[in-house]
Amino acid sequence: MASETLSRIGLAGLAVMGQNLALNIAEKGFPISVYNRTTSKVDETVERAKKEGNLPLRGFHDPKSFVLSIQKPRVIIMLVKAGAPVDQTIKTLSVHLEKGDCIIDGGNEWYENTERREKAMNDLGLLYLGMGVSGGEEGARHGPSLMPGGSFEAYKNIEDILLKVAAQVPDSGPCVTYIGKGGSGNFVKMVHNGIEYGDMQLIAEAYDVLKTVGKLSNEELHQVFAEWNKGELLSFLIEITADIFSIKDDKGQGHLVDKVLDKTGMKGTGKWTVQQAAELSVAAPTIASSLDSRFLSGLKDERVNAAKIFRDGGLADVLCDQVVDKKQLIDDVRQALYASKICSYAQGMNLIRAKSIEKGWDLKLGELARIWKGGCIIRAIFLDRIKKAYDRNPDLASLLIDPEFAKEIVDRQSAWRRVVSLAINSGISTPGMCASLAYFDSYRRESLPANLVQAQRDYFGAHTYERIDVEGSFHTEWFKLAKLKI
Ligand code: 2AM
């Protein structure tokens, strides 16, 4: 095949994300070959490429001709289900690849799988990248946020493509950067998803307080969120939330949101984030509370039963019948949401930093905030502030103590406490907002009651303790002393 007829890049795996990313790459002027195990999806993609402007995309039904249609060094992006399908696809493709060629996994893969595969590929003389892709269908088609990690050489081979296909943010550039070595791209994407869980939970709590305590209608909620989307909370998630409140039910009366079953699904990256937080001994209570909330949401039948038991037992929803000043409540909830969000991002960023230190990845937290400003689900104006905080001080121990964020929290803390207190007194759970506030209240205190826990540990387990006034490690026979006193 003459080199001018070869494609610049290949993409295997043509489900929603794969199809859209392939069309995006083709639209940016990079001839692309595509392949999928089930060939009907190949034909579907070729049809779409024709319809969407005769884009330079060619489909292949067999892996060999697919691989051979790509110019060397070959680069193939793979967007198949994480886990075993990735291994199977690598096997299918790699037999036709040659030294210096590269496979990029664009799925939500566990970072250690990427590291294992990178090693195995290296042994064959092949390069490997694990690339987080965020932005859903729309992002993949028109500009996602890309988080590539692994072989730097492989990254350099396709940097020109990635810079063009990624979301473009004015004054901030394309939403892609080389993340770091090994599985760092997947890890960062995983934490991004954990942060996304936190954001969605906090927004849901704001909705619950406004709806259940403030008695706001869906029309009012639509207006409130649309208004919030003009200020400090401006973000994709607030925008889509405003939209959701405006949609009428197509199968009956009222709004569709009220007909959606209150059970949240999940695919695993949030759980991984919380597991990693525990592994690394990093507190991430807001993200953990969002995961717990999804678990509890899944217990619909149990909750229906429990609601009946407590209603029959006399605990009715009367708690929610407090009279509140709507305007004040809306303003307070906005501030509580913003302050809670700062704490959630502080947790996510510290988790990434802890992993970066453990693995020697040398990740740049400010750069991550920058590439999340567009394309991805957590895109928000607020990320610019995070980037600036790390620009001011790359070694910032926590976003909470950046002078600007510290001031923002202090300015909002009265409203934040009012909302959380009101929710607690009304019997409305706000686990994310409460977790964020408790995180802040623990972090900002010079002294915690941990002295007592350490004393207990020394009492029953001789675990020793340190003193505030004398260096060293101490043990006390607490039991004997207590008995002597009697
Ligand atoms: P399919 O269309 O042939 O099912 C998301 O499910 C994507 O992963 C689809 O493109 C799907 O291909 C692909 N996929 C899932 N399991 C796979 C496997 N074992 N081998 C190759 N591709 C697979």
Side-chain angles (χ1 to χ4, degrees), residues 26-262:
E27 192 178 59
K28 300 292 153 39
F30 301 100
I32 186 167
S33 296
V34 298
Y35 166 77
N36 191 68
R37 180 182 61 174
T38 306
T39 55
S40 58
K41 289 206 183 105
V42 175
D43 302 338
E44 210 178 283
T45 312
V46 169
E47 265 314 297
R48 275 189 69 187
K50 266 194 211 132
K51 271 203 199 122
E52 295 180 26
N54 264 333
L55 304 176
L57 179 146
R58 290 185 296 161
F60 294 85
H61 286 187
D62 74 289
K64 185 172 179 190
S65 51
F66 164 66
V67 170
L68 296 183
S69 73
I70 303 163
Q71 75 180 49
K72 290 192 235 176
R74 300 184 182 92
V75 178
I76 297 175
I77 299 179
M78 197 175 38
L79 272 156
V80 301
K81 253 197 202 129
V86 171
D87 288 310
Q88 278 153 16
T89 307
I90 290 175
K91 214 167 147 194
T92 307
L93 299 175
S94 60
V95 289
H96 307 296
L97 293 172
E98 292 167 76
K99 273 194 178 15
D101 289 350
C102 170
I103 293 184
I104 302 174
D105 177 10
N108 274 328
E109 186 53 276
W110 174 238
Y111 82 97
E112 284 178 334
N113 286 344
T114 292
E115 301 199 331
R116 166 176 61 77
R117 289 171 188 140
E118 187 184 9
K119 246 175 124 212
M121 292 279 285
N122 277 346
D123 293 344
L124 301 172
L126 301 171
L127 307 177
Y128 198 75
L129 284 170
M131 180 168 74
V133 179
S134 176
E137 187 176 348
E138 190 66 15
R141 180 65 183 86
H142 299 291
S145 174
L146 299 171
M147 295 154 248
S151 159
F152 184 65
E153 190 187 338
Y155 172 75
K156 277 291 170 192
N157 286 346
I158 54 151
E159 190 181 34
D160 59 332
I161 302 180
L162 299 184
L163 288 173
K164 283 239 168 76
V165 305
Q168 311 288 320
V169 175
D171 303 327
S172 170
C175 293
V176 60
T177 190
Y178 174 68
I179 301 291
K181 287 185 291 194
S184 60
N186 292 129
F187 189 89
V188 164
K189 173 65 185 354
M190 177 197 78
V191 177
H192 161 286
N193 285 20
I195 290 173
E196 181 183 311
Y197 274 50
D199 272 353
M200 293 168 80
Q201 175 63 25
L202 293 171
I203 291 172
E205 292 173 16
Y207 157 59
D208 199 8
V209 172
L210 292 177
K211 175 188 165 188
T212 314
V213 186
K215 307 279 187 286
L216 268 71
S217 66
N218 284 316
E219 281 86 4
E220 287 172 311
L221 287 163
H222 166 71
Q223 274 165 16
V224 165
F225 276 83
E227 195 56 38
W228 285 358
N229 202 39
K230 293 179 189 156
E232 65 195 13
L233 287 171
L234 191 155
S235 60
F236 172 70
L237 285 169
I238 294 286
E239 181 188 331
I240 66 164
T241 304
D243 285 348
I244 287 169
F245 292 125
S246 70
I247 305 298
K248 292 272 167 54
D249 183 10
D250 55 344
K251 292 188 171 46
Q253 296 290 309
H255 286 81
L256 185 54
V257 67
D258 296 323
K259 308 288 172 63
V260 176
L261 185 66
D262 52 337

